């Protein structure tokens, strides 16, 4: 299992390559693939539920062990429909056996057979049949059944994506985002990582390995037992350094009995990435590092340094890394005082430009459709607002799409908005979205992920019968659509408003008509 250093497991890497071989055998039409499929009696169409024969080689059995992973992460472009109705992800929303089946092991049936029976089949409840029919109608179609790798946007298999599915990652360490920050030198990060995993060879740690050793801290006048907490927190050198650097941050060493609680207080002195937060992360790591170096010098009878010399080295660390702190002459007085103690000169930083943006009217004769998507906790929702050329609300809607990504929410919100306009008889529409990606997809500037193709095919069909002008706007002037998308997420429901619009939405539209300015930074 991978830890803080992210060293990959060889077993997971090898499994990724095995999965690549399995995928090639299932999808490719080469002579080698045909030979493997014929030898081991495997068929890409009926892959789910496959069991390798007893006479199979060890390599093939190891590959066959990964078949459930391959099936789980597959999707389909449906042709004849000979694939397993229950176990294959032909709907691109997951295998139906886990969601719709009334039985633990449903009777095997192909998608073609199920559709010919109008989905009135054993194991499928009558109440679920309409939903399954809708999934079938919105499936991705092709001339023949084609398996896709569901994880990548274009449906092609990559070893990297397979490895991400197979790798086993240890639970995240709460300290990791601090000591692995980009501005922290890697030797400090690695040393702190070793400290967390109790891999620093202090005397007590060596004694715990059943090695006889007389312990005496060389950094103390009284030669106390050298434990980790003692050396790095309570020892004479460490205590002097902490007591010198901690007070400006309102941290008192005496308030803490545990070293890690003390470090946690340092790391949380200010938000990560801020000027104070950067100093609160760097200083304790440097103190620990310099304390350990001084301990080793004294242990090996090298010329040791005095406290003033160690302080100077710590200050030198801070001064050398100063350009990464983004400190400036407008910093709060408290930070300036701390930097003065650390002998760091204030330097100016680049300020992001400020833009003023406003809502604008559409071309004469056009209506405006604003749409937006929302995704949180693996759920997706969307919403939109239709306004006339004067900015008055004509209609509004929100939808809840269930499991999905933000790109799915943005795409489906656009589709639902266009469908609503068509239903209302509105043909000339200026569409405004705050997703550059959606605007690029509409104008064929980049490839649409396979998982969204079915929605975009419907969008293209509507675009054929509507007069559309699609453009990108900043999210600040897309606030009405953002509100409707948030309403869809919070209510987890679908609703069209033709009158009695939400008061907050009416207020946003009124501000837009008044030309209210929105401030955008960057």
């Amino acid at each position: 299992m991978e830890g803080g250093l992210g060293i990959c497991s060889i077993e997971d890497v090898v499994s990724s390559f095995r999965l690549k071989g399995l995928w090639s055998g299932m999808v490719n039409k080469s002579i080698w693939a045909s030979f493997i499929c014929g030898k081991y009696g495997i068929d890409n169409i009926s892959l789910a539920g496959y069991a390798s024969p007893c006479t199979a080689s060890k390599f093939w059995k190891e590959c066959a062990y990964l078949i459930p992973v391959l099936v789980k992460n597959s999707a389909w472009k449906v042709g004849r429909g000979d694939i397993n109705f229950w176990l294959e992800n032909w709907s691109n929303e997951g295998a139906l056996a886990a969601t719709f089946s009334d039985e633990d092991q449903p009777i095997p049936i192909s998608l073609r057979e199920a559709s010919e029976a109008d989905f009135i089949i054993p194991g499928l409840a009558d109440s679920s049949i309409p939903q399954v029919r809708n999934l079938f109608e919105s499936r991705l179609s092709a001339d023949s059944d084609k398996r896709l790798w569901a994880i990548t946007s274009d449906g092609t298999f990559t070893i990297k994506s397979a490895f991400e599915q197979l790798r086993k990652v240890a639970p995240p360490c709460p300290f990791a985002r601090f000591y692995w920050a980009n501005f922290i030198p890697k030797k400090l990060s690695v040393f702190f990582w070793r400290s967390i995993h109790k891999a620093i060879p202090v005397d007590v740690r060596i004694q715990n390995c059943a090695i006889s050793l007389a312990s005496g801290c060389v950094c103390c006048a009284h030669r106390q037992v050298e434990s980790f907490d003692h050396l790095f927190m309570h020892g004479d050198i460490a205590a002097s350094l902490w007591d010198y650097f901690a007070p400006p941050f309102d941290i008192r060493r005496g308030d803490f009995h545990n070293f890690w609680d003390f470090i946690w207080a340092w790391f949380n002195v200010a938000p990560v990435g801020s000027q104070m937060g950067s100093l609160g992360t760097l200083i304790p790591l440097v103190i620990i590092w310099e304390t350990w170096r001084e301990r080793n010098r004294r242990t090996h009878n090298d010329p040791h340094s005095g406290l003033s010399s160690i302080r100077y080295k710590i200050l030198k660390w801070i001064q050398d890394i100063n350009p990464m702190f983004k400190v400036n002459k407008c910093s709060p007085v408290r930070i300036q005082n701390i930097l003065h103690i650390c002998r760091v000169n204030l330097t100016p930083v680049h300020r992001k430009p400020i833009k003023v943006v406003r809502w604008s009217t559409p071309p004469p004769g056009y209506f405006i459709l604003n749409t937006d998507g929302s995704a949180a906790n693996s759920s997706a929702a969307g919403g939109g607002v239709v306004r006339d050329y004067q900015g008055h609300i004509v209609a509004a809607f929100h939808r809840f799409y269930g499991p999905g990504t933000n790109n799915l929410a943005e795409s489906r919100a656009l589709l639902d908005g266009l469908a609503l306009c068509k239903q209302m008889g509105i043909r000339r529409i200026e569409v405004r979205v705050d997703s550059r990606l959606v605007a690029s997809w509409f104008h064929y500037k980049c490839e649409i992920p396979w998982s969204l193709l079915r929605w975009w095919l419907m969008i293209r069909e509507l675009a054929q019968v509507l007069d559309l002008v699609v453009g990108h706007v900043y999210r600040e002037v897309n606030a009405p659509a953002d509100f409707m998308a948030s309403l869809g997420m919070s209510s987890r429901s679908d609703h069209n408003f033709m009158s009695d619009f939400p008061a907050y939405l009416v207020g946003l539209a009124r501000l837009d008509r008044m030309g209210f300015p929105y401030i955008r930074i960057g």
Side-chain angles (χ1 to χ4, degrees):
M1 184 176 290
E2 297 177 23
L5 286 179
I7 298 174
C8 301
S9 166
I10 295 297
E11 181 180 353
D12 293 341
V13 174
V14 172
S15 295
S16 302
F17 280 93
R18 288 177 183 149
L19 197 57
K20 169 67 174 178
L22 183 63
W23 179 269
S24 299
M26 296 301 99
V27 176
N28 294 345
K29 303 299 182 182
S30 63
I31 296 176
W32 176 85
S34 300
F35 170 76
I36 291 295
C37 292
K39 179 178 180 180
Y40 295 113
I42 189 169
D43 184 4
N44 182 34
I45 299 298
S46 57
L47 190 58
Y50 170 81
S52 60
C54 298
T55 56
S57 65
K58 179 183 177 183
F59 172 77
W60 178 253
K61 288 180 179 178
E62 291 170 344
C63 290
Y65 179 77
L66 297 170
I67 285 179
V69 178
L70 187 145
V71 173
K72 178 183 177 182
N73 294 287
S74 293
W76 285 89
K77 283 186 175 180
V78 179
R80 282 176 48 84
D82 293 327
I83 55 182
N84 191 300
F85 172 79
W86 290 111
L87 302 180
E88 291 287 1
N89 181 23
W90 58 267
S91 67
N92 301 326
E93 294 190 5
L96 269 61
T99 308
F100 294 99
S101 177
D102 294 335
E103 304 172 2
D104 293 336
Q105 293 183 340
I107 299 173
I109 186 173
S110 69
L111 175 60
R112 177 170 52 83
E113 293 170 339
S115 63
E116 289 173 352
D118 200 22
F119 300 103
I120 303 174
I121 58 176
L124 185 62
D126 293 342
S127 58
S128 301
I129 291 177
Q131 187 174 354
V132 173
R133 286 173 180 160
N134 290 335
L135 291 174
F136 182 75
E137 292 297 327
S138 61
R139 71 193 185 281
L140 286 177
S141 301
D143 295 334
S144 60
D145 297 323
K146 181 180 179 181
R147 187 184 294 273
L148 303 173
W149 185 242
I151 303 171
T152 56
S153 60
D154 59 358
T156 57
F157 182 95
T158 63
I159 292 178
K160 179 180 179 181
S161 61
F163 174 72
E164 291 298 327
Q165 294 299 308
L166 294 169
R167 68 191 300 197
K168 304 177 185 66
V169 183
C173 171
F175 293 111
R177 63 194 178 106
F178 299 99
Y179 67 86
W180 288 119
N182 291 333
F183 69 90
I184 300 294
K186 288 299 177 280
K187 62 181 177 181
L188 298 187
S189 300
V190 172
F191 185 78
F192 191 81
W193 175 82
R194 290 179 59 199
S195 302
I196 291 175
H197 290 82
K198 301 179 180 179
I200 304 300
V202 295
D203 290 351
V204 171
R205 180 74 179 88
I206 295 174
Q207 291 173 347
N208 291 338
C209 296
I211 298 175
S212 179
L213 178 69
S215 176
C217 180
V218 295
C219 295
C220 292
H222 302 291
R223 306 279 293 192
Q224 298 184 34
V225 175
E226 186 191 77
S227 65
F228 183 88
D229 280 12
H230 171 78
L231 176 63
F232 292 109
M233 185 174 179
H234 304 296
D236 291 350
I237 291 179
S240 298
L241 295 175
W242 292 123
D243 293 344
Y244 178 82
F245 286 99
F249 293 88
D250 292 334
I251 299 175
R252 299 290 182 270
R253 183 176 57 89
D255 296 340
F256 301 90
H257 301 288
N258 181 276
F259 175 78
W260 298 112
D261 291 341
F262 182 53
I263 294 298
W264 188 247
W266 271 93
F267 285 172
N268 287 276
V269 73
V272 181
S274 66
Q275 300 164 357
M276 284 282 286
S278 299
L279 288 170
T281 301
L282 176 67
I283 290 176
L285 298 187
V286 175
I287 290 176
I288 295 170
W289 173 258
E290 290 297 338
T291 301
W292 179 249
R293 292 189 65 196
E294 181 60 23
R295 178 263 189 194
N296 290 338
R297 280 192 290 267
R298 298 190 180 197
T299 299
H300 300 291
N301 296 320
D302 291 339
H304 58 266
S305 306
L307 277 175
S308 58
S309 177
I310 299 174
R311 283 198 205 107
Y312 174 79
K313 293 175 183 177
I314 295 173
L315 293 172
K316 189 68 169 62
W317 274 97
I318 299 172
Q319 293 167 13
D320 290 343
I321 302 178
N322 171 43
M324 301 183 186
F325 283 154
K326 298 182 180 179
V327 293
N328 59 79
K329 296 180 180 179
C330 298
S331 300
V333 175
R334 182 185 176 196
I335 297 180
Q336 294 191 34
N337 292 337
I338 292 174
L339 295 174
H340 177 72
I341 293 173
C342 297
R343 303 174 189 174
V344 173
N345 296 323
L346 295 175
T347 57
V349 295
H350 175 69
R351 297 286 186 180
K352 292 183 177 180
I354 297 177
K355 297 179 182 178
V356 178
V357 292
R358 290 182 173 87
W359 181 82
S360 60
T361 57
Y366 278 78
F367 286 78
I368 288 182
L369 169 64
N370 288 84
T371 65
D372 195 15
S374 174
N377 300 322
S378 300
S379 296
V385 180
V386 182
R387 289 181 276 187
D388 60 21
Y389 71 98
Q390 293 180 330
H392 296 287
I393 301 175
V394 176
F397 70 93
H398 62 72
R399 302 283 187 271
F400 181 71
Y401 302 126
T405 63
N406 187 69
N407 286 338
L408 179 137
E410 295 276 2
S411 301
R412 293 194 62 177
L414 174 59
L415 173 62
D416 291 334
L418 294 177
L420 179 61
C421 289
K422 181 184 177 184
Q423 179 184 341
M424 297 173 61
I426 299 174
R427 292 292 183 269
R428 307 183 74 186
I429 310 164
E430 181 181 357
V431 180
R432 298 177 180 177
V433 294
D434 60 14
S435 170
R436 292 186 185 274
L437 203 53
V438 169
S440 299
W441 286 338
F442 186 87
H443 294 294
Y444 298 92
K445 291 183 178 179
C446 56
E447 185 177 0
I448 300 172
W450 68 266
S451 57
L452 303 178
L453 273 178
R454 54 176 165 166
W455 310 114
W456 277 92
L457 290 174
M458 299 179 194
I459 292 173
R460 301 288 187 213
E461 290 177 3
L462 287 172
Q464 296 295 324
V465 297
L466 299 175
D467 181 4
L468 300 182
V469 178
V470 179
H472 170 264
V473 295
Y474 292 122
R475 63 187 303 269
E476 287 78 6
V477 292
N478 203 39
D482 179 72
F483 168 73
M484 295 306 297
S486 300
L487 195 60
M489 180 65 73
S490 60
S491 66
R492 305 178 82 85
S493 63
D494 302 344
H495 190 72
N496 291 338
F497 293 89
M498 300 300 175
S499 61
D500 298 327
F501 304 108
Y504 187 77
L505 177 64
V506 174
L508 290 174
R510 184 180 296 115
L511 290 176
D512 285 345
R513 292 197 305 273
M514 294 169 57
F516 185 81
Y518 296 92
I519 306 300
R520 178 178 177 82
I521 300 177

